[in-house]
Amino acid sequence: LGPHALVLVGSDDEQNDAAAYAGLFRRYDHEVTVTVLPDVHRLGISRSPAAFDAIEQWLARTRFPSESARPQ
């Protein structure tokens, strides 16, 4: 996945063990960004201001290859 992947999980997710996410993803790829959002449940993540803030911050610090840099 590399540095171009962002994983968001709510700390109150009823389906997943949010605390285990960082270790699980980083075990296979240390460049993945994993963010646990406090007080957010599984369905609430899609409308959480904390999720939008995390995405905005991640985008601001992530550099994506430009279209011209891609091999043809």
Side-chain angles (χ1 to χ4, degrees), residues 26-70:
R26 290 190 184 124
R27 182 171 163 192
Y28 298 101
D29 189 338
H30 68 279
E31 293 184 299
V32 171
T33 300
V34 178
T35 302
V36 178
L37 304 168
D39 304 316
V40 175
H41 58 81
R42 183 174 64 90
L43 296 177
I45 201 166
S46 64
R47 61 183 182 275
S48 165
F52 293 116
D53 289 343
I55 293 167
E56 184 176 32
Q57 291 171 18
W58 177 78
L59 285 171
R61 68 176 182 269
T62 301
R63 300 292 176 246
F64 294 96
S66 68
E67 290 295 316
S68 62
R70 291 185 186 175

